[in-house]
């Protein structure tokens, strides 16, 4: 065991513990993907990450085996990429995606956060590209198309995202008190969602909706400076919590040059400002800038 938890059903109960018998429940599945390099510490880090996701693959894929054990659809994206890379196809992913879809009738937001509904679209795109399961993708067609139409209503005519405050304007917890970073990050995340939506709609034969998504994405690219300039000129230090999150999304969405994001934000002070959820996207953005070794 790495973690074990004992719950007392009565708050007034006192437990005198001598020993515990327990069963570790996990999926008996092979590790199809692997990673090795000349740094043994990095090898152990990779193995720990893969094993942690493995433990989270229960009836559904949980966000935290040692925490709330719930399906948080935004946090699911890095886990989906891990499952696809390490384990290949596994039913736990579509089961989790369908669970959150079914308990979130539109116009509601998944997990009560608008960003998490956008992550659902991005997951569907990446899961399809890894697995090629067109039958499953077609099962999402009605909900996916209606969600994309809803999201497009949250973009102004000039191309600025206008997701309401009640919709959970949220990237991750470390950036939650940096409104300029959140604004920039949401602009980037919406643009990425429109691109993913266009790609998925093209695959599904929804050509008109695919064109609409692409038109919205292009408007958002043109409007990006109106969001990015306040972010860049803010008095928030470049290495402050939230800056690296937004910078990585901007770079991946094509709203900021990866080299600029890397130089001004991502490579400043090494891993300071990295977060559990967004570390994956920060590393992707740094790689896009040609920085494969971390801090410069």
């Amino acid at each position: 065991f790495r973690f074990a938890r004992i719950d007392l059903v009565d708050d007034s109960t006192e437990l005198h513990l001598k020993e515990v018998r327990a069963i570790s429940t996990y999926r008996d599945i092979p590790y199809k993907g692997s990673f090795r390099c000349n740094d043994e510490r990095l090898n152990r880090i990779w193995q720990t990450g893969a094993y942690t996701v493995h433990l989270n693959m229960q009836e559904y894929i949980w966000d935290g085996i040692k925490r709330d054990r719930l399906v948080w659809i935004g946090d699911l994206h890095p886990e989906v990429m891990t499952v696809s890379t390490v384990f290949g196809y596994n039913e736990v992913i579509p089961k989790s995606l369908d669970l959150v879809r079914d308990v979130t009738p539109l116009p509601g937001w998944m997990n009560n956060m608008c960003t998490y509904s956008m992550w659902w679209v991005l997951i569907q795109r990446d899961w399809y590209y890894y697995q090629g399961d067109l039958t499953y993708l077609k099962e999402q067609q009605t909900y996916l198309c209606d969600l994309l139409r809803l999201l497009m209503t949250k973009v102004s005519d000039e191309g600025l995202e206008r997701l309401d405050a009640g919709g959970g304007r949220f990237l991750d917890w470390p950036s939650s008190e940096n409104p300029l970073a959140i604004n920039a990050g949401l602009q980037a995340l919406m643009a990425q969602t429109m691109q993913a939506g266009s790609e998925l709609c093209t695959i599904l034969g929804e050509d008109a909706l695919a064109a609409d998504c692409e038109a919205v994405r292009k408007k958002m690219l043109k409007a990006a400076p109106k969001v990015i300039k306040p972010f860049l000129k803010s008095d928030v230090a470049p290495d402050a919590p939230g800056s690296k999150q937004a910078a990585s999304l901007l770079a991946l969405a094509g709203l900021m040059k990866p080299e600029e994001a890397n130089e001004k934000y991502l490579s400043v002070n090494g891993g300071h400002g990295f977060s559990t959820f967004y570390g994956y996207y920060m590393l992707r953005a740094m790689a896009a800038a040609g920085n494969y070794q971390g801090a410069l």
Side-chain angles (χ1 to χ4, degrees), residues 94-290:
K95 282 185 63 178
S96 301
L97 294 172
D98 291 353
L99 170 70
V100 177
R101 178 202 64 199
D102 292 344
V103 300
T104 314
L106 297 171
W109 299 119
M110 294 180 175
N111 300 125
N112 295 316
M113 288 184 277
C114 55
T115 49
Y116 279 35
S117 288
M118 289 191 277
W119 281 117
W120 185 85
V121 177
L122 293 166
I123 292 171
Q124 292 289 349
R125 191 269 310 274
D126 291 343
W127 185 246
Y128 175 76
Y129 282 167
Y130 267 89
Q131 308 303 332
D133 190 345
L134 183 59
T135 299
Y136 176 72
L137 181 60
K138 287 182 177 179
E139 293 172 2
Q140 317 307 315
Q141 187 164 352
T142 299
Y143 190 96
L144 172 67
C145 292
D146 289 344
L147 173 57
L148 290 170
R149 293 186 182 98
L150 172 63
L151 288 168
M152 283 190 283
T153 67
K154 305 299 181 180
V155 179
S156 71
D157 291 339
E158 58 180 335
L160 296 172
E161 63 84 15
R162 288 292 182 259
L163 292 155
D164 53 276
R169 296 179 64 82
F170 178 84
L171 298 179
D172 68 349
W173 287 113
S175 63
S176 59
E177 296 184 3
N178 188 337
L180 291 174
I182 292 172
N183 292 343
L186 287 182
Q187 182 79 6
L189 194 57
M190 180 72 87
Q192 290 187 59
T193 302
M194 289 295 107
Q195 179 175 345
S198 179
E199 294 171 12
L200 289 173
C201 287
T202 298
I203 294 167
L204 291 168
E206 297 278 357
D207 295 336
L209 185 55
D212 290 342
C213 288
E214 180 60 17
V216 171
R217 187 187 73 87
K218 289 180 177 178
K219 284 197 304 183
M220 298 194 78
L221 292 179
K222 292 181 180 179
K226 296 182 180 180
V227 176
I228 297 174
K229 286 181 180 178
F231 171 62
L232 293 175
K233 295 179 179 179
S234 72
D235 57 1
V236 179
D239 60 333
S243 297
K244 291 186 176 183
Q245 285 88 330
S248 63
L249 290 178
L250 290 168
L252 294 174
L255 276 65
M256 177 187 289
K257 292 182 178 179
E259 294 78 10
E260 181 181 12
N262 176 66
E263 180 182 355
K264 293 183 177 180
Y265 295 93
L266 302 174
S267 65
V268 177
N269 286 353
H272 181 68
F274 271 55
S275 68
T276 306
F277 182 0
Y278 272 73
Y280 170 60
Y281 312 106
M282 297 171 193
L283 292 173
R284 280 184 57 199
M286 293 172 78

Side-chain angles (χ1 to χ4, degrees), residues 72-83:
W72 293 96
I73 206 67
D75 309 71
L76 192 66
H77 185 262
E79 295 173 311
V80 167
M81 304 306 284
T82 301
V83 170

